[in-house]
C-alpha cells in the first residue's frame, strides 16, 4: 500500500514539473516528450502525408510553390454498383491522305488504353494523332492548344525528316550530299578530289532514286539532290540490307530523345548485290519489293532459337565480324548529331507556340553498314509505316512500338478497364 501511494506521489510531482516546464516555454499542453512518442508522432504524420499525396496525385492535382493547378484529364465518379465515366478521353486520328486501315494498329492501341477514337476534326480531343504534317492544315487549332492536349508531331521537325534537309545537314555518318544550284561549286570540287566516286540522284520529296555517272548529272536542277554512293555495303545472304530504328522525341527545348530497343525493322534487297547493274534498282535500293527479316537465311537461324529481332540482328552481324556494341554507339551518335545540326531551327519553329510540351513525335531512322562496319545514315521518316497490311508478321512490332511510345510521353499512364463491361472499385 505504501508503494502505491509513493508511485502516485512521484507521478503527481512529475506532472507538476511538466506543467511548469510548459508554462515556462508557453506551451498550451503539458506532454512528456520522450523518444517513443516523438517517433510515433513522426510515423503518424508520414502516413497522413502519404495519404494526402496519393489523393492529390490520383486526382491530377500538383503543387508547385504557391501555384495549384488542376487538370480534369482523368475525372471519374465511382459507385459500388456501376462506374460512370464523367470525362472520356478522346484521340483524333487525322489522316486525309491515307485510308483509315493504314492506322489500324494506332487505333487498336489507343482503344486498349481506354480512349475513344474519332475522325471528326470538330470533336473535343485530348490527343491528336496526325499521319500528315498538321501545322498548315490545322494551324488555327494547334496555335491555341489547351494545356492537356498533346500532338504527335513536332514543330520544325521537317528540318530532320525532309530528305534534302537531312542529307545536307552536315551531321555525322551521312554520306556527302549536294543540292543544286547552290552547292554546284562544292560538288565540282568534291568530284575533282574524288574522281572514283559515284553518285545517287534523289528526288527532293519522292522516292525516285538512280545511280548516275557523275558526268551526266544535271548541275542546274533544283528538283533533286545528289549523294555519294557507297559501293561496298556489308552483305548478308549476298544482299544489301538496311535497318530502321524507332526514335521518340519528347522535347526539343531541352532536347530529349529515346531510342527504342528490341523492336526494329530490317529489310534486304530483292536481288543479290553482285554483279552490280546500275539499271537494276532492286540490287542496291531497298524498295517496296524488298525481302523482310524473316526471309533471311542467316537471321532465320537465330529467330528459330526464339531470339528477338534485335538479338537476331546482332548475332547475324557479329557472325560476319561486326561488333554490335560499336554499331549501336555509332547509331546513337548519328541520331544525336542530326538533331544537334538542326536544333536551332527547330527551336525557332517551336517558339511560335505557347506551350513547348504539347508535342511529341515518333520517327524512324534508316541506316546501313559498309563492309568495314562503318555506319551510314540514309534518312529519318516523319510518319514511319505502322501498317501490317502487306506483312502480317510486323503487327506485333508496330503495336509494341506504339505502347512504348505512349508510355514514354505519358498518355498511357492510366490504364482503364472497359467501363461498360465490368464493375470496378477504387481508384484507376
Amino acid at each position: 500500500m505504501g508503494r502505491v501511494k509513493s508511485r502516485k506521489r512521484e507521478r503527481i510531482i512529475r506532472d507538476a514539473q511538466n506543467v511548469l516546464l510548459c508554462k515556462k516555454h508557453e506551451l498550451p499542453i503539458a506532454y512528456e516528450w520522450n523518444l517513443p512518442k516523438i517517433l510515433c508522432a513522426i510515423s503518424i504524420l508520414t502516413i497522413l502525408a502519404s495519404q494526402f499525396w496519393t489523393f492529390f496525385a490520383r486526382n491530377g492535382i500538383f503543387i508547385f510553390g504557391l501555384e495549384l493547378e488542376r487538370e480534369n484529364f482523368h475525372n471519374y465518379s465511382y459507385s459500388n454498383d456501376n462506374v460512370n465515366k464523367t470525362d472520356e478521353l478522346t484521340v483524333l486520328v487525322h489522316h486525309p491522305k491515307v485510308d483509315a486501315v493504314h492506322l489500324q494498329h494506332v487505333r487498336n492501341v489507343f482503344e486498349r488504353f481506354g480512349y475513344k477514337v474519332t475522325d471528326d476534326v470538330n470533336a473535343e480531343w485530348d490527343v491528336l494523332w496526325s499521319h500528315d504534317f498538321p501545322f498548315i492544315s490545322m494551324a488555327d487549332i494547334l496555335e491555341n492548344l489547351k494545356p492537356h492536349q498533346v500532338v504527335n508531331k513536332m514543330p520544325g521537325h521537317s528540318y530532320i525528316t525532309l530528305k534534302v534537309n537531312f542529307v545536307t545537314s552536315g551531321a555525322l555518318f551521312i554520306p556527302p550530299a549536294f543540292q543544286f544550284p547552290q552547292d554546284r561549286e562544292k560538288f565540282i570540287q568534291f568530284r575533282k578530289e574524288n574522281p572514283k566516286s559515284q553518285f545517287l540522284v534523289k528526288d527532293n520529296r519522292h522516292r525516285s532514286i538512280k545511280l548516275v555517272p557523275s558526268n551526266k548529272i544535271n548541275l542546274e536542277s533544283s528538283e533533286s539532290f545528289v549523294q555519294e554512293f557507297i559501293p561496298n555495303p556489308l552483305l548478308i545472304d549476298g544482299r544489301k540490307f538496311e535497318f530502321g530504328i524507332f526514335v521518340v522525341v519528347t522535347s526539343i527545348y531541352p532536347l530529349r530523345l529515346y531510342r527504342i530497343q528490341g523492336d526494329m525493322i530490317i529489310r534486304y534487297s530483292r536481288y543479290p548485290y553482285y554483279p552490280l547493274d546500275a539499271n537494276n534498282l532492286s540490287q542496291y535500293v531497298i524498295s517496296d519489293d524488298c525481302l523482310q527479316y524473316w526471309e533471311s537465311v542467316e537471321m532465320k537461324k537465330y529467330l528459330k532459337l526464339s531470339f528477338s529481332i534485335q538479338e537476331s540482328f546482332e548475332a547475324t552481324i557479329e557472325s560476319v565480324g561486326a561488333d554490335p556494341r560499336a554499331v549501336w554507339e555509332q547509331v546513337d551518335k548519328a541520331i544525336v548529331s542530326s538533331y544537334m545540326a538542326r536544333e536551332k531551327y527547330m527551336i525557332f519553329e517551336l517558339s511560335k507556340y505557347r506551350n513547348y510540351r504539347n508535342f511529341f513525335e515518333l520517327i524512324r531512322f534508316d541506316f546501313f553498314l559498309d563492309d568495314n562496319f562503318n555506319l551510314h545514315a540514309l534518312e529519318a521518316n516523319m510518319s514511319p509505316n505502322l501498317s501490317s497490311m502487306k506483312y502480317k508478321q510486323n503487327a506485333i512490332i508496330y503495336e509494341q512500338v506504339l505502347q512504348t511510345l505512349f508510355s514514354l510521353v505519358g498518355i498511357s499512364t492510366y490504364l482503364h478497364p472497359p467501363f461498360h463491361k465490368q464493375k470496378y472499385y477504387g481508384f484507376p
Side-chain angles (χ1 to χ4, degrees):
M1 194 73 178
R3 286 184 182 178
V4 173
K5 290 183 178 180
S6 176
R7 288 176 182 174
K8 286 184 179 180
R9 190 163 44 250
E10 290 175 359
R11 186 163 56 250
I12 292 171
I13 294 172
R14 186 170 62 249
D15 290 344
Q17 289 174 344
N18 287 335
V19 170
L20 291 174
L21 181 63
C22 291
K23 287 183 177 179
K24 180 179 179 181
H25 293 280
E26 299 182 350
L27 297 177
I29 307 174
Y31 285 117
E32 185 175 2
W33 290 99
N34 53 27
L35 183 60
K37 289 184 178 180
I38 292 174
L39 293 176
C40 181
I42 292 174
S43 299
I44 293 172
L45 290 174
T46 302
I47 294 171
L48 291 174
S50 174
Q51 293 296 321
F52 175 84
W53 172 253
T54 300
F55 171 79
F56 275 77
R58 289 189 181 278
N59 287 275
I61 304 175
F62 305 92
I63 300 175
F64 299 93
L66 299 177
E67 180 181 0
L68 179 65
E69 179 182 353
R70 178 188 178 98
E71 293 188 14
N72 295 317
F73 201 60
H74 300 278
N75 185 20
Y76 303 99
S77 61
Y78 304 94
S79 69
N80 290 334
D81 299 324
N82 54 36
V83 179
N84 298 318
K85 193 175 179 185
T86 63
D87 211 5
E88 189 170 32
L89 300 176
T90 302
V91 55
L92 168 60
V93 179
H94 188 57
H95 52 93
K97 296 182 181 180
V98 298
D99 295 333
V101 68
H102 287 282
L103 298 175
Q104 188 57 51
H105 293 303
V106 174
R107 294 171 175 269
N108 290 347
V109 177
F110 270 113
E111 289 174 352
R112 194 172 300 144
F113 285 130
Y115 282 79
K116 174 186 175 182
V117 180
T118 182
D119 299 324
D120 183 4
V121 294
N122 297 315
E124 289 289 329
W125 51 268
D126 303 290
V127 180
L128 168 63
W129 185 278
S130 179
H131 183 268
D132 304 305
F133 193 72
F135 296 100
I136 297 176
S137 60
M138 304 181 70
D140 293 341
I141 296 175
L142 299 185
E143 288 173 0
N144 296 284
L145 292 172
K146 299 175 183 177
H148 72 279
Q149 292 179 311
V150 290
V151 181
N152 78 316
K153 289 290 182 286
M154 190 73 69
H157 227 167
S158 58
Y159 287 105
I160 295 289
T161 58
L162 196 61
K163 285 186 179 181
V164 65
N165 289 340
F166 180 78
V167 300
T168 59
S169 65
L172 298 175
F173 304 103
I174 299 177
F178 306 89
Q179 187 178 13
F180 300 130
Q182 57 265 44
D183 294 333
R184 183 176 182 274
E185 296 303 321
K186 291 181 180 179
F187 173 74
I188 293 174
Q189 182 64 28
F190 183 88
R191 184 173 59 181
K192 182 178 179 181
E193 295 173 354
N194 303 273
K196 294 183 179 181
S197 292
Q198 298 174 284
F199 298 90
L200 293 169
V201 177
K202 301 182 179 182
D203 188 90
N204 285 341
R205 291 181 173 82
H206 305 293
R207 294 179 175 235
S208 174
I209 181 173
K210 192 171 184 181
L211 184 60
V212 178
S214 61
N215 59 351
K216 292 187 178 181
I217 294 175
N218 183 359
L219 304 183
E220 305 300 328
S221 174
S222 60
E223 299 299 320
S224 59
F225 62 92
V226 299
Q227 189 171 27
E228 184 181 20
F229 176 67
I230 307 300
N232 60 325
L234 180 64
L235 305 179
I236 300 295
D237 301 333
R239 290 174 166 82
K240 182 179 178 180
F241 68 95
E242 296 176 2
F243 57 100
I245 304 301
F246 293 98
V247 174
V248 180
V249 186
T250 61
S251 173
I252 293 295
Y253 185 72
L255 182 60
R256 190 173 292 116
L257 312 169
Y258 298 87
R259 171 170 61 85
I260 295 179
Q261 298 190 43
D263 296 303
M264 57 189 297
I265 297 297
I266 307 167
R267 301 173 298 168
Y268 294 79
S269 61
R270 168 61 60 178
Y271 299 104
Y273 187 74
Y274 293 113
L276 182 62
D277 179 4
N279 294 318
N280 187 358
L281 294 179
S282 296
Q283 284 185 278
Y284 59 92
V285 176
I286 308 300
S287 53
D288 291 337
D289 66 345
C290 63
L291 301 180
Q292 300 298 310
Y293 68 91
W294 58 83
E295 299 177 278
S296 165
V297 175
E298 287 297 320
M299 283 200 68
K300 279 182 182 178
K301 298 177 183 178
Y302 305 103
L303 293 170
K304 288 180 178 178
L305 298 174
S306 299
F307 281 33
S308 69
I309 299 173
Q310 181 172 321
E311 290 169 341
S312 299
F313 168 74
E314 292 174 350
T316 300
I317 63 173
E318 191 171 19
S319 69
V320 294
D323 180 0
R325 289 176 297 181
V327 170
W328 292 124
E329 287 178 5
Q330 292 181 80
V331 167
D332 291 339
K333 288 179 181 178
I335 294 170
V336 172
S337 176
S338 64
Y339 276 91
M340 295 300 291
R342 297 297 191 185
E343 184 182 26
K344 63 180 180 181
Y345 304 108
M346 291 187 286
I347 291 176
F348 174 76
E349 295 297 327
L350 187 63
S351 67
K352 299 177 183 179
Y353 298 86
R354 292 186 298 178
N355 192 338
Y356 293 178
R357 302 196 179 274
N358 286 111
F359 309 98
F360 68 93
E361 189 155 359
L362 172 71
I363 65 174
R364 193 190 74 220
F365 280 81
D366 290 340
F367 303 97
F368 74 97
L369 298 169
D370 63 29
D371 57 12
N372 294 313
F373 313 126
N374 297 313
L375 184 78
H376 300 278
L378 292 171
E379 62 180 336
N381 298 278
M382 177 185 71
S383 293
N385 178 39
L386 295 173
S387 171
S388 62
M389 288 182 60
K390 188 173 182 180
Y391 301 109
K392 301 300 183 184
Q393 294 91 331
N394 285 334
I396 185 64
I397 297 176
Y398 299 144
E399 295 210 358
Q400 287 179 165
V401 166
L402 287 167
Q403 292 192 58
T404 301
L405 166 68
F406 294 173
S407 296
L408 277 172
V409 300
I411 57 179
S412 66
T413 302
Y414 291 84
L415 181 59
H416 315 301
F419 283 90
H420 62 287
K421 293 182 179 179
Q422 65 185 49
K423 296 180 180 180
Y424 185 71
Y425 305 98
F427 289 99

